Amino acid sequence: DNVINLRKEYYEESSKYTMLGYSITDYKWLDKIDYKDNILVVMEGLTMYLSKDEIQELLSNINNKFNRVYLIFDAYTKKGVKLSKIKNPVNKMNAKIKYGIDNYDDFLLLNSNLKHINTHLIKKDNNNLKGITKFIFNNLVLIYYVE
C-alpha cells in the first residue's frame, strides 16, 4: 500500500488507469479489472524474481481472464541470472533472481497464446553502471507480447 500511495502522488487514477496493491501471484487483482479487451499489464522488474512455474501460472490466469492483453516486461538473460548470484544490487535485499530468457521463443513456450510483437535490447550507452553489474544489466532484454 505504501508504494501505491506514493504513486498516487504522481499519477492520477481514472476509469482507464488503476493501481492495484496486490502481489502479482495473488490473483485477486484480476477480479478488480472490469475490462476484457485491450488490457496493458506492465511487469517491470518482475519476471526475473518468479520461477518458470510461477510465470506459467500467471500467464494462464491472465489468459483466462482477458480476451486481449498486452504484456510489457523486462527479463534477465539466462547468463544474467547466473551472474547475478555473484554480484547484483538486489542481493543485499535477499532477493533471488530465478528466471531468465535468451530470446523470445523461451518465453513463448510458457503459454501457447502468446505472440511476439517486438524486442528491444538495453544499450550500454543508456546507463552508468560498472563492472559485472553493468554486464548483467546490459544483457537484460525488454520484450513486448500480446495474447
Side-chain angles (χ1 to χ4, degrees):
D1 285 337
N2 290 337
V3 172
I4 297 297
N5 290 334
L6 181 61
R7 285 185 183 183
K8 286 181 180 181
E9 291 181 25
Y10 298 97
Y11 303 102
E12 188 174 318
E13 288 191 290
S14 70
S15 63
K16 294 184 179 185
Y17 179 77
T18 304
M19 293 176 268
L20 303 172
Y22 292 92
S23 165
I24 196 74
T25 57
D26 176 357
Y27 299 110
K28 292 177 199 168
W29 66 270
L30 290 167
D31 297 329
K32 301 294 182 185
I33 302 171
D34 295 330
Y35 298 98
K36 295 284 187 191
D37 291 304
N38 296 318
I39 304 296
L40 173 64
V41 177
V42 179
M43 300 190 307
E44 179 184 7
L46 175 71
T47 60
M48 61 282 292
Y49 297 105
L50 300 176
S51 69
K52 181 178 176 180
D53 290 341
E54 289 171 320
I55 294 172
Q56 281 181 303
E57 184 179 356
L58 172 62
L59 294 174
S60 178
N61 279 289
I62 288 172
N63 186 61
N64 290 336
K65 170 70 178 182
F66 304 115
N67 298 325
R68 186 174 193 103
V69 61
Y70 296 87
L71 306 174
I72 299 176
F73 67 94
D74 53 342
Y76 276 44
T77 61
K78 292 176 182 178
K79 191 173 195 175
V81 172
K82 289 178 184 174
L83 289 172
S84 73
K85 292 173 179 33
I86 299 168
K87 181 177 180 184
N88 191 326
V90 300
N91 292 348
K92 294 176 185 174
M93 297 178 280
N94 294 322
K96 184 176 179 187
I97 306 297
K98 299 178 185 178
Y99 183 75
I101 60 174
D102 288 331
N103 62 60
Y104 64 82
D105 288 330
D106 294 342
F107 201 80
L108 293 176
L109 293 173
L110 298 177
N111 188 294
S112 62
N113 293 314
L114 291 174
K115 295 177 187 145
H116 178 256
I117 295 177
N118 204 346
T119 302
H120 296 280
L121 294 177
I122 295 175
K123 303 294 183 202
K124 294 181 183 190
D125 299 339
N126 293 348
N127 63 56
N128 61 357
L129 301 171
K130 296 182 173 133
I132 195 166
T133 304
K134 183 171 185 158
F135 181 80
I136 290 169
F137 281 91
N138 284 337
N139 286 289
L140 288 171
V141 182
L142 179 62
I143 302 178
Y144 298 76
Y145 289 92
V146 62
E147 292 185 309

